[in-house]
PDB file of all heavy atoms in Angstrom:
ATOM      1  N   MET N   1      98.368 115.862 103.668  1.00 72.00           N
ATOM      2  CA  MET N   1      97.213 115.806 102.779  1.00 72.00           C
ATOM      3  C   MET N   1      95.947 116.183 103.511  1.00 72.00           C
ATOM      4  O   MET N   1      95.794 115.919 104.707  1.00 72.00           O
ATOM      5  CB  MET N   1      97.129 114.407 102.203  1.00 72.00           C
ATOM      6  CG  MET N   1      98.242 114.069 101.233  1.00 72.00           C
ATOM      7  SD  MET N   1      98.221 112.516 100.403  1.00 72.00           S
ATOM      8  CE  MET N   1      96.603 111.844 100.638  1.00 72.00           C
ATOM      9  N   ALA N   2      95.047 116.713 102.805  1.00 84.00           N
ATOM     10  CA  ALA N   2      93.772 117.130 103.378  1.00 84.00           C
ATOM     11  C   ALA N   2      92.979 115.866 103.578  1.00 84.00           C
ATOM     12  O   ALA N   2      93.129 114.840 102.955  1.00 84.00           O
ATOM     13  CB  ALA N   2      93.020 118.077 102.448  1.00 84.00           C
ATOM     14  N   GLU N   3      92.037 116.006 104.578  1.00 90.00           N
ATOM     15  CA  GLU N   3      91.190 114.880 104.874  1.00 90.00           C
ATOM     16  C   GLU N   3      90.398 114.438 103.640  1.00 90.00           C
ATOM     17  O   GLU N   3      89.906 115.231 102.865  1.00 90.00           O
ATOM     18  CB  GLU N   3      90.165 115.213 105.977  1.00 90.00           C
ATOM     19  CG  GLU N   3      89.366 114.074 106.482  1.00 90.00           C
ATOM     20  CD  GLU N   3      88.515 114.484 107.677  1.00 90.00           C
ATOM     21  OE1 GLU N   3      88.873 115.347 108.389  1.00 90.00           O
ATOM     22  OE2 GLU N   3      87.442 113.855 107.765  1.00 90.00           O
ATOM     23  N   GLY N   4      90.382 113.114 103.389  1.00 89.00           N
ATOM     24  CA  GLY N   4      89.641 112.569 102.271  1.00 89.00           C
ATOM     25  C   GLY N   4      90.485 112.430 101.003  1.00 89.00           C
ATOM     26  O   GLY N   4      90.101 111.780 100.048  1.00 89.00           O
ATOM     27  N   GLN N   5      91.701 113.029 101.002  1.00 86.00           N
ATOM     28  CA  GLN N   5      92.597 112.886  99.814  1.00 86.00           C
ATOM     29  C   GLN N   5      93.333 111.572  99.905  1.00 86.00           C
ATOM     30  O   GLN N   5      93.602 111.060 100.999  1.00 86.00           O
ATOM     31  CB  GLN N   5      93.544 114.027  99.760  1.00 86.00           C
ATOM     32  CG  GLN N   5      92.993 115.322  99.271  1.00 86.00           C
ATOM     33  CD  GLN N   5      94.031 116.367  99.070  1.00 86.00           C
ATOM     34  OE1 GLN N   5      95.029 116.444  99.849  1.00 86.00           O
ATOM     35  NE2 GLN N   5      93.898 117.156  98.013  1.00 86.00           N
ATOM     36  N   ARG N   6      93.690 111.053  98.722  1.00 83.00           N
ATOM     37  CA  ARG N   6      94.461 109.796  98.673  1.00 83.00           C
ATOM     38  C   ARG N   6      95.817 110.118  98.059  1.00 83.00           C
ATOM     39  O   ARG N   6      95.921 110.945  97.155  1.00 83.00           O
ATOM     40  CB  ARG N   6      93.738 108.779  97.795  1.00 83.00           C
ATOM     41  CG  ARG N   6      92.442 108.297  98.439  1.00 83.00           C
ATOM     42  CD  ARG N   6      91.810 107.200  97.635  1.00 83.00           C
ATOM     43  NE  ARG N   6      92.774 106.102  97.516  1.00 83.00           N
ATOM     44  CZ  ARG N   6      92.578 105.076  96.744  1.00 83.00           C
ATOM     45  NH1 ARG N   6      91.500 105.014  95.967  1.00 83.00           N
ATOM     46  NH2 ARG N   6      93.434 104.096  96.703  1.00 83.00           N
ATOM     47  N   ALA N   7      96.843 109.434  98.536  1.00 78.00           N
ATOM     48  CA  ALA N   7      98.167 109.589  97.984  1.00 78.00           C
ATOM     49  C   ALA N   7      98.201 108.966  96.612  1.00 78.00           C
ATOM     50  O   ALA N   7      97.461 107.994  96.276  1.00 78.00           O
ATOM     51  CB  ALA N   7      99.188 108.939  98.887  1.00 78.00           C
ATOM     52  N   LEU N   8      99.060 109.561  95.744  1.00 76.00           N
ATOM     53  CA  LEU N   8      99.296 108.977  94.434  1.00 76.00           C
ATOM     54  C   LEU N   8     100.242 107.792  94.588  1.00 76.00           C
ATOM     55  O   LEU N   8     101.317 107.899  95.184  1.00 76.00           O
ATOM     56  CB  LEU N   8      99.960 110.029  93.538  1.00 76.00           C
ATOM     57  CG  LEU N   8     100.411 109.572  92.169  1.00 76.00           C
ATOM     58  CD1 LEU N   8      99.238 109.125  91.309  1.00 76.00           C
ATOM     59  CD2 LEU N   8     101.209 110.679  91.504  1.00 76.00           C
ATOM     60  N   ALA N   9      99.826 106.650  94.092  1.00 79.00           N
ATOM     61  CA  ALA N   9     100.668 105.450  94.154  1.00 79.00           C
ATOM     62  C   ALA N   9     101.239 105.221  92.750  1.00 79.00           C
ATOM     63  O   ALA N   9     100.512 105.197  91.758  1.00 79.00           O
ATOM     64  CB  ALA N   9      99.815 104.236  94.546  1.00 79.00           C
ATOM     65  N   VAL N  10     102.564 105.057  92.733  1.00 81.00           N
ATOM     66  CA  VAL N  10     103.264 104.784  91.494  1.00 81.00           C
ATOM     67  C   VAL N  10     104.005 103.494  91.633  1.00 81.00           C
ATOM     68  O   VAL N  10     104.752 103.308  92.640  1.00 81.00           O
ATOM     69  CB  VAL N  10     104.222 105.940  91.128  1.00 81.00           C
ATOM     70  CG1 VAL N  10     104.953 105.635  89.822  1.00 81.00           C
ATOM     71  CG2 VAL N  10     103.508 107.241  91.069  1.00 81.00           C
ATOM     72  N   TYR N  11     103.872 102.571  90.724  1.00 82.00           N
ATOM     73  CA  TYR N  11     104.474 101.235  90.766  1.00 82.00           C
ATOM     74  C   TYR N  11     105.721 101.212  89.817  1.00 82.00           C
ATOM     75  O   TYR N  11     105.696 101.812  88.761  1.00 82.00           O
ATOM     76  CB  TYR N  11     103.535 100.175  90.385  1.00 82.00           C
ATOM     77  CG  TYR N  11     102.344 100.049  91.280  1.00 82.00           C
ATOM     78  CD1 TYR N  11     101.160 100.695  91.050  1.00 82.00           C
ATOM     79  CD2 TYR N  11     102.412  99.197  92.392  1.00 82.00           C
ATOM     80  CE1 TYR N  11     100.040 100.587  91.871  1.00 82.00           C
ATOM     81  CE2 TYR N  11     101.297  99.051  93.242  1.00 82.00           C
ATOM     82  CZ  TYR N  11     100.154  99.791  92.957  1.00 82.00           C
ATOM     83  OH  TYR N  11      99.069  99.612  93.796  1.00 82.00           O
ATOM     84  N   ALA N  12     106.654 100.375  90.180  1.00 81.00           N
ATOM     85  CA  ALA N  12     107.718 100.030  89.209  1.00 81.00           C
ATOM     86  C   ALA N  12     107.058  99.300  88.085  1.00 81.00           C
ATOM     87  O   ALA N  12     106.062  98.607  88.290  1.00 81.00           O
ATOM     88  CB  ALA N  12     108.762  99.118  89.900  1.00 81.00           C
ATOM     89  N   ASP N  13     107.543  99.500  86.869  1.00 80.00           N
ATOM     90  CA  ASP N  13     106.912  98.854  85.712  1.00 80.00           C
ATOM     91  C   ASP N  13     106.559  97.384  85.920  1.00 80.00           C
ATOM     92  O   ASP N  13     105.472  96.920  85.630  1.00 80.00           O
ATOM     93  CB  ASP N  13     107.768  99.001  84.459  1.00 80.00           C
ATOM     94  CG  ASP N  13     107.805 100.379  83.859  1.00 80.00           C
ATOM     95  OD1 ASP N  13     106.898 101.183  84.206  1.00 80.00           O
ATOM     96  OD2 ASP N  13     108.750 100.658  83.117  1.00 80.00           O
ATOM     97  N   GLU N  14     107.523  96.652  86.436  1.00 84.00           N
ATOM     98  CA  GLU N  14     107.354  95.206  86.616  1.00 84.00           C
ATOM     99  C   GLU N  14     106.442  94.851  87.779  1.00 84.00           C
ATOM    100  O   GLU N  14     105.929  93.693  87.907  1.00 84.00           O
ATOM    101  CB  GLU N  14     108.705  94.532  86.823  1.00 84.00           C
ATOM    102  CG  GLU N  14     109.639  94.693  85.629  1.00 84.00           C
ATOM    103  CD  GLU N  14     110.385  96.080  85.684  1.00 84.00           C
ATOM    104  OE1 GLU N  14     110.196  96.869  86.595  1.00 84.00           O
ATOM    105  OE2 GLU N  14     111.158  96.300  84.747  1.00 84.00           O
ATOM    106  N   CYS N  15     106.140  95.812  88.664  1.00 84.00           N
ATOM    107  CA  CYS N  15     105.373  95.510  89.862  1.00 84.00           C
ATOM    108  C   CYS N  15     103.943  96.114  89.859  1.00 84.00           C
ATOM    109  O   CYS N  15     103.292  96.142  90.851  1.00 84.00           O
ATOM    110  CB  CYS N  15     106.099  96.041  91.104  1.00 84.00           C
ATOM    111  SG  CYS N  15     107.694  95.265  91.383  1.00 84.00           S
ATOM    112  N   ASP N  16     103.566  96.592  88.688  1.00 87.00           N
ATOM    113  CA  ASP N  16     102.229  97.182  88.578  1.00 87.00           C
ATOM    114  C   ASP N  16     101.175  96.138  88.458  1.00 87.00           C
ATOM    115  O   ASP N  16     101.159  95.385  87.449  1.00 87.00           O
ATOM    116  CB  ASP N  16     102.205  98.122  87.383  1.00 87.00           C
ATOM    117  CG  ASP N  16     100.925  98.967  87.309  1.00 87.00           C
ATOM    118  OD1 ASP N  16      99.939  98.601  87.938  1.00 87.00           O
ATOM    119  OD2 ASP N  16     100.959  99.964  86.558  1.00 87.00           O
ATOM    120  N   PRO N  17     100.238  96.049  89.409  1.00 88.00           N
ATOM    121  CA  PRO N  17      99.195  95.009  89.330  1.00 88.00           C
ATOM    122  C   PRO N  17      98.270  95.156  88.138  1.00 88.00           C
ATOM    123  O   PRO N  17      97.616  94.169  87.751  1.00 88.00           O
ATOM    124  CB  PRO N  17      98.474  95.159  90.672  1.00 88.00           C
ATOM    125  CG  PRO N  17      98.823  96.456  91.209  1.00 88.00           C
ATOM    126  CD  PRO N  17     100.138  96.845  90.604  1.00 88.00           C
ATOM    127  N   LYS N  18      98.255  96.353  87.545  1.00 90.00           N
ATOM    128  CA  LYS N  18      97.352  96.536  86.412  1.00 90.00           C
ATOM    129  C   LYS N  18      97.943  96.016  85.114  1.00 90.00           C
ATOM    130  O   LYS N  18      97.269  95.765  84.140  1.00 90.00           O
ATOM    131  CB  LYS N  18      97.024  98.024  86.224  1.00 90.00           C
ATOM    132  CG  LYS N  18      96.193  98.599  87.314  1.00 90.00           C
ATOM    133  CD  LYS N  18      95.985 100.056  87.144  1.00 90.00           C
ATOM    134  CE  LYS N  18      95.175 100.595  88.343  1.00 90.00           C
ATOM    135  NZ  LYS N  18      95.134 102.084  88.275  1.00 90.00           N
ATOM    136  N   THR N  19      99.318  95.868  85.040  1.00 91.00           N
ATOM    137  CA  THR N  19      99.922  95.477  83.784  1.00 91.00           C
ATOM    138  C   THR N  19     100.745  94.177  83.870  1.00 91.00           C
ATOM    139  O   THR N  19     101.156  93.612  82.884  1.00 91.00           O
ATOM    140  CB  THR N  19     100.889  96.567  83.311  1.00 91.00           C
ATOM    141  OG1 THR N  19     101.892  96.793  84.336  1.00 91.00           O
ATOM    142  CG2 THR N  19     100.161  97.854  83.019  1.00 91.00           C
ATOM    143  N   ASN N  20     100.981  93.691  85.114  1.00 91.00           N
ATOM    144  CA  ASN N  20     101.774  92.439  85.217  1.00 91.00           C
ATOM    145  C   ASN N  20     101.055  91.467  86.137  1.00 91.00           C
ATOM    146  O   ASN N  20     100.961  91.691  87.333  1.00 91.00           O
ATOM    147  CB  ASN N  20     103.129  92.740  85.800  1.00 91.00           C
ATOM    148  CG  ASN N  20     104.032  91.507  85.889  1.00 91.00           C
ATOM    149  OD1 ASN N  20     103.625  90.422  85.574  1.00 91.00           O
ATOM    150  ND2 ASN N  20     105.243  91.745  86.331  1.00 91.00           N
ATOM    151  N   PRO N  21     100.543  90.383  85.607  1.00 92.00           N
ATOM    152  CA  PRO N  21      99.827  89.392  86.446  1.00 92.00           C
ATOM    153  C   PRO N  21     100.714  88.742  87.536  1.00 92.00           C
ATOM    154  O   PRO N  21     100.204  88.252  88.528  1.00 92.00           O
ATOM    155  CB  PRO N  21      99.292  88.382  85.478  1.00 92.00           C
ATOM    156  CG  PRO N  21      99.902  88.628  84.200  1.00 92.00           C
ATOM    157  CD  PRO N  21     100.496  90.008  84.205  1.00 92.00           C
ATOM    158  N   ASP N  22     102.008  88.780  87.263  1.00 91.00           N
ATOM    159  CA  ASP N  22     102.974  88.179  88.260  1.00 91.00           C
ATOM    160  C   ASP N  22     103.585  89.260  89.110  1.00 91.00           C
ATOM    161  O   ASP N  22     104.686  89.131  89.688  1.00 91.00           O
ATOM    162  CB  ASP N  22     104.087  87.449  87.516  1.00 91.00           C
ATOM    163  CG  ASP N  22     103.515  86.165  86.869  1.00 91.00           C
ATOM    164  OD1 ASP N  22     102.622  85.582  87.442  1.00 91.00           O
ATOM    165  OD2 ASP N  22     104.042  85.849  85.747  1.00 91.00           O
ATOM    166  N   HIS N  23     102.969  90.417  89.260  1.00 88.00           N
ATOM    167  CA  HIS N  23     103.533  91.587  90.001  1.00 88.00           C
ATOM    168  C   HIS N  23     104.003  91.208  91.396  1.00 88.00           C
ATOM    169  O   HIS N  23     105.030  91.642  91.863  1.00 88.00           O
ATOM    170  CB  HIS N  23     102.554  92.754  90.027  1.00 88.00           C
ATOM    171  CG  HIS N  23     101.391  92.523  90.841  1.00 88.00           C
ATOM    172  ND1 HIS N  23     100.289  91.855  90.371  1.00 88.00           N
ATOM    173  CD2 HIS N  23     101.124  92.910  92.095  1.00 88.00           C
ATOM    174  CE1 HIS N  23      99.351  91.770  91.307  1.00 88.00           C
ATOM    175  NE2 HIS N  23      99.767  92.389  92.395  1.00 88.00           N
ATOM    176  N   TRP N  24     103.161  90.421  92.146  1.00 87.00           N
ATOM    177  CA  TRP N  24     103.503  90.154  93.528  1.00 87.00           C
ATOM    178  C   TRP N  24     104.733  89.295  93.624  1.00 87.00           C
ATOM    179  O   TRP N  24     105.559  89.611  94.475  1.00 87.00           O
ATOM    180  CB  TRP N  24     102.267  89.385  94.205  1.00 87.00           C
ATOM    181  CG  TRP N  24     102.426  89.262  95.661  1.00 87.00           C
ATOM    182  CD1 TRP N  24     102.107  90.209  96.589  1.00 87.00           C
ATOM    183  CD2 TRP N  24     102.986  88.132  96.365  1.00 87.00           C
ATOM    184  NE1 TRP N  24     102.424  89.735  97.857  1.00 87.00           N
ATOM    185  CE2 TRP N  24     102.966  88.444  97.740  1.00 87.00           C
ATOM    186  CE3 TRP N  24     103.492  86.932  95.947  1.00 87.00           C
ATOM    187  CZ2 TRP N  24     103.443  87.576  98.684  1.00 87.00           C
ATOM    188  CZ3 TRP N  24     103.989  86.063  96.921  1.00 87.00           C
ATOM    189  CH2 TRP N  24     103.934  86.400  98.281  1.00 87.00           C
ATOM    190  N   HIS N  25     104.836  88.297  92.770  1.00 89.00           N
ATOM    191  CA  HIS N  25     106.041  87.441  92.823  1.00 89.00           C
ATOM    192  C   HIS N  25     107.303  88.205  92.420  1.00 89.00           C
ATOM    193  O   HIS N  25     108.354  88.030  93.032  1.00 89.00           O
ATOM    194  CB  HIS N  25     105.805  86.188  91.933  1.00 89.00           C
ATOM    195  CG  HIS N  25     104.690  85.381  92.396  1.00 89.00           C
ATOM    196  ND1 HIS N  25     104.714  84.610  93.494  1.00 89.00           N
ATOM    197  CD2 HIS N  25     103.449  85.200  91.826  1.00 89.00           C
ATOM    198  CE1 HIS N  25     103.576  83.977  93.665  1.00 89.00           C
ATOM    199  NE2 HIS N  25     102.784  84.315  92.672  1.00 89.00           N
ATOM    200  N   TYR N  26     107.176  89.065  91.408  1.00 85.00           N
ATOM    201  CA  TYR N  26     108.319  89.868  91.016  1.00 85.00           C
ATOM    202  C   TYR N  26     108.770  90.778  92.084  1.00 85.00           C
ATOM    203  O   TYR N  26     109.968  90.855  92.436  1.00 85.00           O
ATOM    204  CB  TYR N  26     107.950  90.664  89.752  1.00 85.00           C
ATOM    205  CG  TYR N  26     109.107  91.383  89.132  1.00 85.00           C
ATOM    206  CD1 TYR N  26     109.843  90.786  88.125  1.00 85.00           C
ATOM    207  CD2 TYR N  26     109.499  92.623  89.595  1.00 85.00           C
ATOM    208  CE1 TYR N  26     110.951  91.419  87.561  1.00 85.00           C
ATOM    209  CE2 TYR N  26     110.559  93.265  89.056  1.00 85.00           C
ATOM    210  CZ  TYR N  26     111.301  92.675  88.028  1.00 85.00           C
ATOM    211  OH  TYR N  26     112.382  93.316  87.526  1.00 85.00           O
ATOM    212  N   LYS N  27     107.825  91.426  92.712  1.00 83.00           N
ATOM    213  CA  LYS N  27     108.120  92.365  93.810  1.00 83.00           C
ATOM    214  C   LYS N  27     108.824  91.665  94.956  1.00 83.00           C
ATOM    215  O   LYS N  27     109.844  92.098  95.469  1.00 83.00           O
ATOM    216  CB  LYS N  27     106.818  93.053  94.293  1.00 83.00           C
ATOM    217  CG  LYS N  27     107.070  94.131  95.322  1.00 83.00           C
ATOM    218  CD  LYS N  27     106.616  93.532  96.636  1.00 83.00           C
ATOM    219  CE  LYS N  27     106.892  94.448  97.759  1.00 83.00           C
ATOM    220  NZ  LYS N  27     107.732  93.898  98.773  1.00 83.00           N
TER     221      LYS N  27
END
């Protein structure tokens, strides 16, 4: 990746911190 670019992060449905408040425990 070029300097300053960020990798795309994709979460498992159940482990997405934006959609599952218990994502950390599930993971």
Side-chain angles (χ1 to χ4, degrees):
M1 291 182 14
E3 187 175 331
Q5 285 186 321
R6 294 183 58 189
L8 172 65
V10 180
Y11 296 93
D13 285 341
E14 298 83 1
C15 298
D16 188 341
K18 293 178 184 170
T19 60
N20 184 357
D22 292 325
H23 69 278
W24 189 85
H25 299 289
Y26 188 93
K27 185 254 177 239

